[in-house]
Amino acid sequence: MRIFVTGGAGYIGSICVEELLNAGHEVTVFDNLSKGHRDAVDPRAKFVNGDLADAEGTRQALRAAAPDAVMPFAASSLVPESMVYPSKYFQNNVANGINLLDAMVDCGVKRIVFSSSCALFGAPDRVPMTEELPVKPLSPYGQSKAMFEQMLRWYDQIHGIQYVNLRYFNAAGASQRFGEDHRPETHLIPNVLAVALGKKDQVEIYGTDYMTPDGTCVRDYIHILDLASAHILALQSRQSVSYNLGSGDGYTVKQVVEACRRVTGLPIPAIERPRRPGDPPKLVASSKKIASELGWKPKFPKLTDIVASAWAWHRAHPDGYRE
Ligand code: UFG
């Protein structure tokens, strides 16, 4: 199939592009390189430097690519940042997203696999989290993802655009070639590994008074290659549907730091800090639905395998991408 990927120069986008190409699909990457890296774009993909804020440019690029499906990864994706700059999240993730949807309508593109997030559930009262939980986001970031999903329902009903919402839990790890390079970096695993690399003095642990086994937040880390394989399977879906996507195991922040110590063999000093605004205490996926309906199965569910892949990439790219 021909796939139009926005944000294909970013962390998740770049590795999904690589896996789409490996699976034999043709890919056009549309990215303004505001956060992504040119070196993260697989050379087998066609690259268009464009911005979703530019409705006409988006439409032209989509028409030229004439794709069978769209995969939008271009979005602002940091929970804490969204608690300070909500407007950025509604602008980039909702308003610019409308430009993409309208371009799809104009160009007759009828299929989308959307990068959604478990952040739209807020702080659920039970885990593992199934798709039926109420949508109650705790941050503008989660709200923006919920809003896009709601829009998709109407674009399906009115314009016949079939969607698959993939609600990611915590994407982590790397492929052999591409990895995580956010500037600044706010995510846990790359921050812990930055200490192991000697680029930071200590890891900051945000909040130790949550109602969890050791007081730190629990997250479900999913290997980026498993996340990519879910996108490829989602292309086969013929119905509009939402799936939660995680490994199904929850780890506390302290357990992640410990796993990084084991994988790297380094002491990795840590310091306890106050809670970070907008962080739900516990997010663990039930991925039963995507497993039973699309046959998705994580190949790398073990946290140490996820960390080891990230560690290999960061050691090979201590300063991230060159460009
Ligand atoms: N954390 C630390 N120290 C750090 C970084 C993070 O203690 O230096 C903690 C956070 O407070 C949180 C946990 O580690 O409890 C995970 O934080 P991340 O920033 O790695 O990830 P988030 O869970 O906040 O968010 C990520 C993505 C979102 C997505 C969400 C789904 O950034 O886009 O996972 O859980 F919605």
Side-chain angles (χ1 to χ4, degrees):
M1 289 169 74
R2 279 195 303 272
I3 318 293
F4 186 80
V5 176
T6 74
Y11 167 48
I12 299 179
S14 64
I15 294 169
C16 286
V17 166
E18 182 185 26
E19 290 296 292
L20 282 166
L21 291 160
N22 289 346
H25 298 290
E26 267 177 53
V27 177
T28 298
V29 168
F30 184 83
D31 198 301
N32 66 4
L33 299 179
S34 63
K35 290 279 176 191
H37 308 277
R38 188 62 184 89
D39 286 347
V41 180
D42 193 307
R44 295 170 293 172
K46 179 164 185 254
F47 177 69
V48 179
N49 190 332
D51 196 322
L52 289 170
D54 169 11
E56 186 48 37
T58 302
R59 192 182 355 260
Q60 280 173 13
L62 195 69
R63 199 176 295 285
D68 300 296
V70 167
M71 289 192 187
F73 297 94
S76 297
S77 62
L78 301 177
V79 175
E81 184 189 55
S82 81
M83 299 297 285
V84 185
Y85 304 110
S87 146
K88 179 173 177 182
Y89 282 72
F90 296 121
Q91 185 64 51
N92 290 347
N93 299 0
V94 182
N96 293 353
I98 295 174
N99 290 341
L100 180 65
L101 291 177
D102 287 345
M104 289 177 69
V105 173
D106 288 351
C107 300
V109 182
K110 296 286 188 195
R111 197 174 295 170
I112 184 167
V113 180
F114 175 55
S115 302
S116 190
S117 170
C118 66
L120 56 74
F121 293 117
D125 50 18
R126 62 181 165 81
V127 295
M129 294 156 65
T130 58
E131 287 75 6
E132 292 73 38
L133 281 173
V135 171
K136 284 199 283 190
L138 277 184
S139 64
Y141 167 69
Q143 184 74 55
S144 72
K145 292 291 176 181
M147 288 165 79
F148 199 89
E149 285 198 4
Q150 285 156 359
M151 295 194 307
L152 282 175
R153 210 185 110 221
W154 293 107
Y155 275 76
D156 179 14
Q157 191 166 314
I158 297 162
H159 296 297
I161 290 182
Q162 181 238 324
Y163 62 82
V164 178
N165 294 322
L166 296 178
R167 287 128 169 210
Y168 313 154
F169 284 62
N170 287 55
S175 72
Q176 283 194 357
R177 190 158 175 192
F178 301 115
E180 189 166 9
D181 178 5
H182 295 113
R183 301 178 194 184
E185 187 55 79
T186 62
H187 293 110
L188 179 61
I189 292 177
N191 274 342
V192 180
L193 296 178
V195 179
L197 276 175
K199 295 172 72 79
K200 284 188 174 178
D201 293 339
Q202 57 198 9
V203 187
E204 298 190 303
I205 296 181
Y206 301 133
T208 50
D209 58 347
Y210 290 97
M211 291 289 283
T212 59
D214 63 19
T216 65
C217 286
V218 171
R219 292 288 182 275
D220 178 337
Y221 296 87
I222 170 172
H223 197 297
I224 190 82
L225 290 173
D226 288 328
L227 198 144
S229 76
H231 285 77
I232 291 166
L233 289 171
L235 289 172
Q236 295 165 14
S237 177
R238 289 293 170 270
Q239 51 164 345
S240 285
V241 61
S242 300
Y243 294 119
N244 292 355
L245 193 60
S247 301
D249 291 318
Y251 294 94
T252 66
V253 172
K254 285 186 175 172
Q255 285 172 329
V256 171
V257 175
E258 210 38 62
C260 292
R261 290 182 179 132
R262 272 204 306 282
V263 167
T264 62
L266 293 164
I268 311 185
I271 180 166
E272 298 185 358
R273 295 280 191 219
R275 290 182 178 199
R276 196 175 69 172
D279 276 342
K282 205 169 185 185
L283 299 172
V284 182
S286 162
S287 299
K288 281 195 181 137
K289 187 176 172 191
I290 190 167
S292 74
E293 293 185 7
L294 297 185
W296 179 77
K297 193 168 179 286
K299 270 200 199 152
F300 310 101
K302 276 174 59 189
L303 181 62
T304 45
D305 290 342
I306 296 173
V307 169
S309 71
W311 180 230
W313 193 82
H314 287 292
R315 270 205 302 185
H317 306 82
D319 297 315
Y321 289 107
R322 272 178 299 130
E323 224 185 285

PDB file of all heavy atoms in Angstrom, residues 4 56-67 102-103 105-109:
ATOM      1  N   PHE A   4       0.853   7.702   3.618  1.00  0.00           N
ATOM      2  CA  PHE A   4       1.283   9.096   3.845  1.00  0.00           C
ATOM      3  C   PHE A   4       1.476   9.261   5.346  1.00  0.00           C
ATOM      4  O   PHE A   4       0.517   9.133   6.119  1.00  0.00           O
ATOM      5  CB  PHE A   4       0.184  10.024   3.332  1.00  0.00           C
ATOM      6  CG  PHE A   4       0.524  11.489   3.352  1.00  0.00           C
ATOM      7  CD1 PHE A   4       1.301  12.055   2.352  1.00  0.00           C
ATOM      8  CD2 PHE A   4       0.022  12.318   4.350  1.00  0.00           C
ATOM      9  CE1 PHE A   4       1.579  13.423   2.335  1.00  0.00           C
ATOM     10  CE2 PHE A   4       0.299  13.686   4.350  1.00  0.00           C
ATOM     11  CZ  PHE A   4       1.084  14.239   3.334  1.00  0.00           C
ATOM     12  N   GLU A  56      -3.253  24.287   2.478  1.00  0.00           N
ATOM     13  CA  GLU A  56      -3.098  24.095   1.030  1.00  0.00           C
ATOM     14  C   GLU A  56      -1.880  23.212   0.733  1.00  0.00           C
ATOM     15  O   GLU A  56      -1.946  22.303  -0.105  1.00  0.00           O
ATOM     16  CB  GLU A  56      -2.995  25.468   0.340  1.00  0.00           C
ATOM     17  CG  GLU A  56      -2.981  25.428  -1.166  1.00  0.00           C
ATOM     18  CD  GLU A  56      -4.076  24.539  -1.787  1.00  0.00           C
ATOM     19  OE1 GLU A  56      -5.198  24.510  -1.257  1.00  0.00           O
ATOM     20  OE2 GLU A  56      -3.783  23.849  -2.792  1.00  0.00           O
ATOM     21  N   GLY A  57      -0.776  23.467   1.436  1.00  0.00           N
ATOM     22  CA  GLY A  57       0.435  22.650   1.245  1.00  0.00           C
ATOM     23  C   GLY A  57       0.181  21.194   1.621  1.00  0.00           C
ATOM     24  O   GLY A  57       0.669  20.265   0.964  1.00  0.00           O
ATOM     25  N   THR A  58      -0.603  20.996   2.667  1.00  0.00           N
ATOM     26  CA  THR A  58      -0.927  19.632   3.098  1.00  0.00           C
ATOM     27  C   THR A  58      -1.746  18.931   2.016  1.00  0.00           C
ATOM     28  O   THR A  58      -1.476  17.780   1.652  1.00  0.00           O
ATOM     29  CB  THR A  58      -1.722  19.678   4.430  1.00  0.00           C
ATOM     30  OG1 THR A  58      -0.930  20.370   5.404  1.00  0.00           O
ATOM     31  CG2 THR A  58      -2.048  18.287   4.935  1.00  0.00           C
ATOM     32  N   ARG A  59      -2.726  19.665   1.503  1.00  0.00           N
ATOM     33  CA  ARG A  59      -3.594  19.081   0.468  1.00  0.00           C
ATOM     34  C   ARG A  59      -2.773  18.701  -0.774  1.00  0.00           C
ATOM     35  O   ARG A  59      -2.914  17.608  -1.314  1.00  0.00           O
ATOM     36  CB  ARG A  59      -4.687  20.083   0.097  1.00  0.00           C
ATOM     37  CG  ARG A  59      -5.792  19.475  -0.738  1.00  0.00           C
ATOM     38  CD  ARG A  59      -6.876  20.454  -1.178  1.00  0.00           C
ATOM     39  NE  ARG A  59      -6.781  21.784  -0.660  1.00  0.00           N
ATOM     40  CZ  ARG A  59      -7.486  22.266   0.360  1.00  0.00           C
ATOM     41  NH1 ARG A  59      -8.349  21.504   0.982  1.00  0.00           N
ATOM     42  NH2 ARG A  59      -7.338  23.512   0.756  1.00  0.00           N
ATOM     43  N   GLN A  60      -1.887  19.622  -1.188  1.00  0.00           N
ATOM     44  CA  GLN A  60      -1.071  19.350  -2.388  1.00  0.00           C
ATOM     45  C   GLN A  60      -0.179  18.132  -2.187  1.00  0.00           C
ATOM     46  O   GLN A  60      -0.056  17.281  -3.074  1.00  0.00           O
ATOM     47  CB  GLN A  60      -0.202  20.567  -2.717  1.00  0.00           C
ATOM     48  CG  GLN A  60      -0.972  21.651  -3.444  1.00  0.00           C
ATOM     49  CD  GLN A  60      -0.151  22.922  -3.619  1.00  0.00           C
ATOM     50  OE1 GLN A  60       1.066  22.925  -3.407  1.00  0.00           O
ATOM     51  NE2 GLN A  60      -0.808  23.994  -3.980  1.00  0.00           N
ATOM     52  N   ALA A  61       0.431  18.050  -1.021  1.00  0.00           N
ATOM     53  CA  ALA A  61       1.332  16.910  -0.756  1.00  0.00           C
ATOM     54  C   ALA A  61       0.546  15.608  -0.733  1.00  0.00           C
ATOM     55  O   ALA A  61       0.998  14.571  -1.240  1.00  0.00           O
ATOM     56  CB  ALA A  61       2.060  17.119   0.566  1.00  0.00           C
ATOM     57  N   LEU A  62      -0.656  15.661  -0.164  1.00  0.00           N
ATOM     58  CA  LEU A  62      -1.477  14.445  -0.081  1.00  0.00           C
ATOM     59  C   LEU A  62      -1.929  14.019  -1.479  1.00  0.00           C
ATOM     60  O   LEU A  62      -1.895  12.840  -1.828  1.00  0.00           O
ATOM     61  CB  LEU A  62      -2.682  14.689   0.827  1.00  0.00           C
ATOM     62  CG  LEU A  62      -3.415  13.438   1.275  1.00  0.00           C
ATOM     63  CD1 LEU A  62      -2.568  12.619   2.252  1.00  0.00           C
ATOM     64  CD2 LEU A  62      -4.737  13.778   1.941  1.00  0.00           C
ATOM     65  N   ARG A  63      -2.305  15.011  -2.279  1.00  0.00           N
ATOM     66  CA  ARG A  63      -2.758  14.687  -3.639  1.00  0.00           C
ATOM     67  C   ARG A  63      -1.616  14.056  -4.442  1.00  0.00           C
ATOM     68  O   ARG A  63      -1.805  13.063  -5.140  1.00  0.00           O
ATOM     69  CB  ARG A  63      -3.263  15.967  -4.343  1.00  0.00           C
ATOM     70  CG  ARG A  63      -4.142  15.661  -5.539  1.00  0.00           C
ATOM     71  CD  ARG A  63      -4.709  16.924  -6.164  1.00  0.00           C
ATOM     72  NE  ARG A  63      -5.623  17.681  -5.319  1.00  0.00           N
ATOM     73  CZ  ARG A  63      -6.881  17.340  -5.045  1.00  0.00           C
ATOM     74  NH1 ARG A  63      -7.372  16.238  -5.542  1.00  0.00           N
ATOM     75  NH2 ARG A  63      -7.644  18.085  -4.272  1.00  0.00           N
ATOM     76  N   ALA A  64      -0.423  14.620  -4.284  1.00  0.00           N
ATOM     77  CA  ALA A  64       0.730  14.090  -5.038  1.00  0.00           C
ATOM     78  C   ALA A  64       1.066  12.667  -4.579  1.00  0.00           C
ATOM     79  O   ALA A  64       1.442  11.819  -5.388  1.00  0.00           O
ATOM     80  CB  ALA A  64       1.934  15.005  -4.840  1.00  0.00           C
ATOM     81  N   ALA A  65       0.910  12.405  -3.291  1.00  0.00           N
ATOM     82  CA  ALA A  65       1.264  11.069  -2.782  1.00  0.00           C
ATOM     83  C   ALA A  65       0.200  10.033  -3.134  1.00  0.00           C
ATOM     84  O   ALA A  65       0.491   8.845  -3.229  1.00  0.00           O
ATOM     85  CB  ALA A  65       1.456  11.128  -1.261  1.00  0.00           C
ATOM     86  N   ALA A  66      -1.037  10.471  -3.306  1.00  0.00           N
ATOM     87  CA  ALA A  66      -2.170   9.589  -3.620  1.00  0.00           C
ATOM     88  C   ALA A  66      -2.140   8.300  -2.787  1.00  0.00           C
ATOM     89  O   ALA A  66      -2.087   7.196  -3.338  1.00  0.00           O
ATOM     90  CB  ALA A  66      -2.182   9.259  -5.118  1.00  0.00           C
ATOM     91  N   PRO A  67      -2.177   8.438  -1.460  1.00  0.00           N
ATOM     92  CA  PRO A  67      -2.001   7.248  -0.621  1.00  0.00           C
ATOM     93  C   PRO A  67      -3.285   6.436  -0.452  1.00  0.00           C
ATOM     94  O   PRO A  67      -4.391   6.944  -0.662  1.00  0.00           O
ATOM     95  CB  PRO A  67      -1.597   7.852   0.724  1.00  0.00           C
ATOM     96  CG  PRO A  67      -2.326   9.153   0.759  1.00  0.00           C
ATOM     97  CD  PRO A  67      -2.359   9.659  -0.660  1.00  0.00           C
ATOM     98  N   ASP A 102      -9.405  17.271   6.359  1.00  0.00           N
ATOM     99  CA  ASP A 102     -10.075  17.911   5.218  1.00  0.00           C
ATOM    100  C   ASP A 102      -9.331  17.619   3.917  1.00  0.00           C
ATOM    101  O   ASP A 102      -9.955  17.441   2.863  1.00  0.00           O
ATOM    102  CB  ASP A 102     -10.222  19.416   5.462  1.00  0.00           C
ATOM    103  CG  ASP A 102     -11.296  19.697   6.518  1.00  0.00           C
ATOM    104  OD1 ASP A 102     -12.086  18.774   6.817  1.00  0.00           O
ATOM    105  OD2 ASP A 102     -11.331  20.818   7.044  1.00  0.00           O
ATOM    106  N   ALA A 103      -7.999  17.554   4.005  1.00  0.00           N
ATOM    107  CA  ALA A 103      -7.228  17.183   2.805  1.00  0.00           C
ATOM    108  C   ALA A 103      -7.584  15.748   2.396  1.00  0.00           C
ATOM    109  O   ALA A 103      -7.699  15.445   1.206  1.00  0.00           O
ATOM    110  CB  ALA A 103      -5.731  17.312   3.087  1.00  0.00           C
ATOM    111  N   VAL A 105     -10.464  14.281   2.839  1.00  0.00           N
ATOM    112  CA  VAL A 105     -11.790  14.344   2.197  1.00  0.00           C
ATOM    113  C   VAL A 105     -11.629  14.822   0.756  1.00  0.00           C
ATOM    114  O   VAL A 105     -12.133  14.206  -0.185  1.00  0.00           O
ATOM    115  CB  VAL A 105     -12.728  15.279   2.996  1.00  0.00           C
ATOM    116  CG1 VAL A 105     -14.043  15.497   2.243  1.00  0.00           C
ATOM    117  CG2 VAL A 105     -12.989  14.715   4.392  1.00  0.00           C
ATOM    118  N   ASP A 106     -10.862  15.923   0.578  1.00  0.00           N
ATOM    119  CA  ASP A 106     -10.699  16.500  -0.767  1.00  0.00           C
ATOM    120  C   ASP A 106     -10.027  15.537  -1.731  1.00  0.00           C
ATOM    121  O   ASP A 106     -10.324  15.526  -2.918  1.00  0.00           O
ATOM    122  CB  ASP A 106      -9.851  17.778  -0.699  1.00  0.00           C
ATOM    123  CG  ASP A 106     -10.620  18.922  -0.054  1.00  0.00           C
ATOM    124  OD1 ASP A 106     -11.836  18.757   0.163  1.00  0.00           O
ATOM    125  OD2 ASP A 106     -10.005  19.960   0.238  1.00  0.00           O
ATOM    126  N   CYS A 107      -9.081  14.751  -1.204  1.00  0.00           N
ATOM    127  CA  CYS A 107      -8.294  13.878  -2.095  1.00  0.00           C
ATOM    128  C   CYS A 107      -8.877  12.467  -2.161  1.00  0.00           C
ATOM    129  O   CYS A 107      -8.285  11.586  -2.803  1.00  0.00           O
ATOM    130  CB  CYS A 107      -6.849  13.813  -1.625  1.00  0.00           C
ATOM    131  SG  CYS A 107      -6.043  15.427  -1.613  1.00  0.00           S
ATOM    132  N   GLY A 108      -9.973  12.220  -1.445  1.00  0.00           N
ATOM    133  CA  GLY A 108     -10.607  10.899  -1.510  1.00  0.00           C
ATOM    134  C   GLY A 108      -9.815   9.797  -0.805  1.00  0.00           C
ATOM    135  O   GLY A 108      -9.921   8.626  -1.171  1.00  0.00           O
ATOM    136  N   VAL A 109      -9.025  10.165   0.214  1.00  0.00           N
ATOM    137  CA  VAL A 109      -8.288   9.143   0.984  1.00  0.00           C
ATOM    138  C   VAL A 109      -9.199   8.668   2.112  1.00  0.00           C
ATOM    139  O   VAL A 109      -9.685   9.474   2.907  1.00  0.00           O
ATOM    140  CB  VAL A 109      -6.964   9.714   1.551  1.00  0.00           C
ATOM    141  CG1 VAL A 109      -6.198   8.631   2.297  1.00  0.00           C
ATOM    142  CG2 VAL A 109      -6.123  10.304   0.437  1.00  0.00           C
TER     143      VAL A 109
END
